[in-house]
Structures are given as structure tokens and as C-alpha cells.
Amino acid sequence: MSIMMPEADQAVLNRREEIVAALRKIVPGEGVISTALEMMPYESDALTAYRQPPMVVVLPDTTEQVSQVLKYCYDNGIKVVPRGSGTSLSGGSLPLKDGVLLGLGKFKRVREIDFENRVAVVEPGVTNLAVSQAVAHEGFYYAPDPSSQIACSIGGNIGENSGGVHSLKYGMTTNNVLGCEIVLITGEILRIGGKAPETDGYDLMGIITGSEGLLGVVTEVTVRILKKPETARALMVGFPEVEAAGQCVADIIGAGIIPGGMEMMDRNAIHAAEAFVHAGYPLDVEALLIIELDGPGVEVDELIGRVEKIARNCGSTTLQISNSEQERLLFWAGRKAAFPAVGRMSPDYLCMDGTIPRGKLPQALARIRDLSEKYGLRVANVFHAGDGNLHPLILYDANIPEEMDKAEAFGADILRACVELGGVLTGEHGVGVEKRDLMPEMFSDIDLAQQQRLKCAFDTQGLLNPGKVFPTLHRCAELGRVHVHGGKLAFPDIPRF
């Protein structure tokens, strides 16, 4: 498949050898990769439907090197695509033909653990799971846990505002990051936030988190670490209908119960995960909920009884409660492995990511089923059901050209349905290139122009990760123009500076 990206700057490509030589002076040794064969692993991220070899790959290992690389690119008008672990599912780190791919894979150090202030200071290449492992000896952990937590990195999580199965109660990345060190395209190094829970002034961390590499390059992160709950137990509940499981989710939240995590899988996902992990999932149900409750033991016991009653009232046919930590982890093992497990069902699949109001879950599931029949493609549904984050996996065969087209159209219709139901285009995977051209479904031209003005405040030349998020590229000067109609300014009473 091909996708429209910014037109390559031939003048930059003509200077490739000069650019590579200059970058080698900044990042010596093996820090610059320039041969076609060696750059192949970087030509796509986890959205492998789209591929583009970069002009050159640079792998710095210090903030100062990042600063010098960005300043050189800024001074010479060269585009830069930041890349973490390459696990983005929206094409967020898709390279550019005339761009420098700036890989942060060497930034893997845990710089400080401060149990007194309950924070850890880490580099962006540190994986989510590694943060939890680094603080586990004192009974702490890092809450956001994407299914790919063994591979995905903190820096990438900030770029996409990633979530996970426990984000329902403990929040997304934005709720668990307190500060960062960020390098602007000009090479300027800024420190935003810190160890304090709250900072004065604008919420700049809220701007950086989820900015998809469009504003700057993160080189250090201060994350919140939490004490592990006294007790955690999980329920595995089966339903004869997907809609009944969706109603159960809505009823649990409506009853004022906030589980540590609440995930849903449909029949296709259940069978794939069970064959892959052997977690003991029931195979005679249409939908499975995994509901985790945590806190003091007495509270957990009370909540289990309440959730069990709600599930029975919604028509559950199977219900199993974990009686040990090993059993709880086994319940989750199948869900965590659902994405690779579904890969055994089909040569290829598209993993979608949209979010809806929880109360609209039954309607959304019905729409997905209807669309599956319309396009003649199977779908396996794996959801962060508690916060309405849908992950339909559309199964197709890329060896059949028309199937890729149908899968993309199917996915686009799912995302349109999410917006129609009062939701949004993405929950945690970001916009990237996958959802870029669907942004007008959710935002007006005025909305998009305002968002691009924010990018201009950080990146006046539009050199950082261009071609992502915004369906139409504008120069910052164009966005700054004042529109005059009939010789008159709109709203003339508003002061203009």
C-alpha cells in the first residue's frame, strides 16, 4: 500500500553524502546507519502495511548528541522523524525519504529511583515493564501496562499517550508522567515539570504527552510509581452474547465500581488466545470479561460479590474467580497475548483503536458485526472495555490486493462509527498516518488549524515528523495570516498584537 506523504526535497537528497558525514561527526562509531540493507529494520513500525526507507538513521546516546543532531537539521532544513521501540500501531514513526530517522533505542538507563517522592527518572528507551521491575523490590510498580509493555518504551508511550489494561483505575500515560527533558528542533534543551505532583503555569506536560513527536524529542522522563495493592483478584466471566457483556461493563461502572482493569474479548479472540496461552478460557461463550478488583482484602471481597451479582443479572453463563496470584496472572496472560495470538488466525490483520462512551458499547459491537458482514472480513474484538477503548482486529490476507483495501475501508468505517456514537478516533495508538485523513470526521478546519498553530509554536519550519496527524499541511506563516473580507476585519473590537 502507498500513502501520501510530504514531497521529498530533492535538494536535500542531493546532499545526502554531506549530511551523513556531518552526522557521523556528531554521533561517531556505529551511531549512524546509512546503507540500504542496514536501514531495512527501520522502514516501518508496527503498522507494517506502510513502508518507506529513511534517508539515514542516527542513534545518539546522550541528550547533547540529540541536541546537536536536531540543531544541524534545523540549520539545514532537514526533516526529522523521532523513533522509539518501533511498536507504534498508527505509523507514527514511518520514515521519510528525505528525512533523518532519530532512534532513541540507546536511551535505556534508569537515572534515579526516589521512593520517598514515589517517582522514577528514566530515559525514553526504558520499557514499561523495566520500570516496574526496577522498583519491584520495594513493592512499587508503574501503572500503565500496554499489552506490549515488554517491548514498548516510555518515550513512545508519551508520544501516543498509551494506556493498558489497568488504565481504567490508574490512568493513561498522561496521568502517570510528572516531568520530562525535551529537545526542540532548534537544539534547545528544556525541562518541563519534575517530581512535584503539580506545577505552576500552563500544563505543558499535557501538551507534550500525546504529541506524536511533532513538538520535540523527549530524552528523560519522570514517572509516578505506585505501591502495589494489598490484594488483587480477577474474575473471568463468560456471556452468550457480546452485547450482554457490553451491558455488564456499563452496569458495573454505573454501580460506582471502578475495577483495576476490565477487558473484553469476543469468540474469535477467546479461541485464539486460549490456543496460544492455555489460560483456561471457556470456549462455548461469545464474549469474555476479565475484571480485576484491587485494594484492601475486605473491600475486594465485598466488590467481588457485587460484581458477581451484576454479571448474573446480565446473563453470564460462566464465572470463575482467581484464588491465587498465579491464577490471576494466568487470566491476564491470554489477554496480554491476544494480539500475537490472533496472528495465527490470518496472514495479516489491522489493529484499530477507537474510543466510545461506555454506555454505547453494545451499539458499537453491533455496528462492527454488521460491517464485518458488509466487507466479508472476519474481526476479532479485544477491548479495554472499562474505558470504552476498542481494539477490533480486522483479519485479511495482504497477498490478495483487494483485501487490504477492504480492510482499510472497514477500519475507517469503525472509526467513523466511534465518532458518530460520541467517541473519538483514537484511545492510545495515536493518529499517525493511519487515522490522519479521518481527522476531519472529528474536527473542523478551524479546530485543525488551531492544533497546527500549537505545533508552529514549537517547530516553525515544520521539520519534526511532518506528514503525521494533520491531513493538510500548512506553513506556519499561512496559519498566522489574518483573513480580511470586503476590506473589513472580522471582530474588529478584539485587540490584535
Side-chain angles (χ1 to χ4, degrees), residues 69-282:
V69 168
L70 291 178
K71 186 178 188 307
Y72 172 79
C73 291
Y74 176 76
D75 291 342
N76 290 272
I78 302 167
K79 300 162 190 166
V80 180
V81 176
R83 176 187 168 104
S85 298
T87 59
S88 168
L89 287 161
S90 62
S93 52
L94 180 69
L96 297 170
K97 182 179 181 180
D98 59 341
V100 172
L101 188 73
L102 184 65
L104 298 168
K106 292 185 177 181
F107 282 73
K108 292 184 177 180
R109 293 170 282 263
V110 176
R111 294 186 178 179
E112 180 187 1
I113 298 175
D114 183 348
F115 289 114
E116 184 175 345
N117 287 301
R118 298 198 170 194
V119 300
V121 182
V122 302
E123 293 182 342
V126 175
T127 64
N128 288 59
L129 187 59
V131 178
S132 291
Q133 291 171 337
V135 300
H137 63 284
E138 291 290 337
F140 284 81
Y141 74 111
Y142 178 61
D145 54 346
S147 296
S148 56
Q149 67 181 136
I150 193 172
C152 66
S153 58
I154 293 294
N157 285 187
I158 289 180
E160 310 290 8
N161 189 24
S162 301
V165 298
H166 289 95
S167 291
L168 170 61
K169 184 173 183 178
Y170 296 104
M172 310 281 283
T173 298
T174 190
N175 307 111
N176 290 275
V177 174
L178 298 174
C180 71
E181 176 184 78
I182 183 172
V183 186
L184 303 183
I185 186 64
T186 58
E188 183 180 359
I189 302 171
L190 301 179
R191 283 194 170 274
I192 299 172
K195 293 183 179 181
E198 299 289 342
T199 57
D200 295 333
Y202 293 115
D203 179 17
L204 295 179
M205 275 308 307
I207 293 173
I208 297 300
T209 307
S211 60
E212 303 199 30
L214 271 67
L215 306 183
V217 177
V218 173
T219 51
E220 180 188 281
V221 188
T222 301
V223 300
R224 187 194 313 271
I225 54 175
L226 303 177
K227 198 73 174 177
K228 289 184 178 178
E230 174 190 311
T231 302
R233 298 177 69 190
L235 295 86
M236 186 165 64
V237 190
F239 293 87
E241 297 177 350
V242 174
E243 289 79 3
Q247 189 60 52
C248 183
V249 170
D251 289 352
I252 289 171
I253 299 297
I257 301 170
I258 307 298
M262 184 155 51
E263 301 287 302
M264 181 191 296
M265 294 186 286
D266 69 2
R267 173 179 283 272
N268 284 336
I270 295 165
H271 282 248
E274 178 61 19
F276 194 60
V277 175
H278 306 293
Y281 290 170

Side-chain angles (χ1 to χ4, degrees), residues 35-96:
T35 67
L37 183 61
E38 291 177 317
M39 291 193 297
M40 282 187 66
Y42 298 93
E43 67 181 9
S44 75
D45 51 24
L47 185 65
T48 55
Y50 307 121
R51 298 178 183 272
Q52 169 59 59
M55 179 175 66
V56 60
V57 177
V58 183
L59 305 173
D61 61 4
T62 68
T63 299
E64 184 57 34
Q65 286 180 346
V66 172
S67 173
Q68 291 181 37
V69 168
L70 291 178
K71 186 178 188 307
Y72 172 79
C73 291
Y74 176 76
D75 291 342
N76 290 272
I78 302 167
K79 300 162 190 166
V80 180
V81 176
R83 176 187 168 104
S85 298
T87 59
S88 168
L89 287 161
S90 62
S93 52
L94 180 69
L96 297 170

Side-chain angles (χ1 to χ4, degrees), residues 332-355:
W332 283 118
R335 166 60 187 91
K336 290 277 189 176
F339 285 12
V342 169
R344 304 172 71 184
M345 297 175 60
S346 175
D348 304 278
Y349 68 77
L350 281 181
C351 176
M352 305 309 298
D353 164 54
T355 302

Side-chain angles (χ1 to χ4, degrees), residues 237 239 244-245 247-257 262 289 291 303-316 319:
V237 190
F239 293 87
Q247 189 60 52
C248 183
V249 170
D251 289 352
I252 289 171
I253 299 297
I257 301 170
M262 184 155 51
L289 285 183
I291 307 162
L303 291 177
I304 284 176
R306 292 176 61 190
V307 168
E308 185 175 4
K309 182 177 179 180
I310 292 171
R312 298 295 188 198
N313 288 340
C314 289
S316 66
L319 193 149

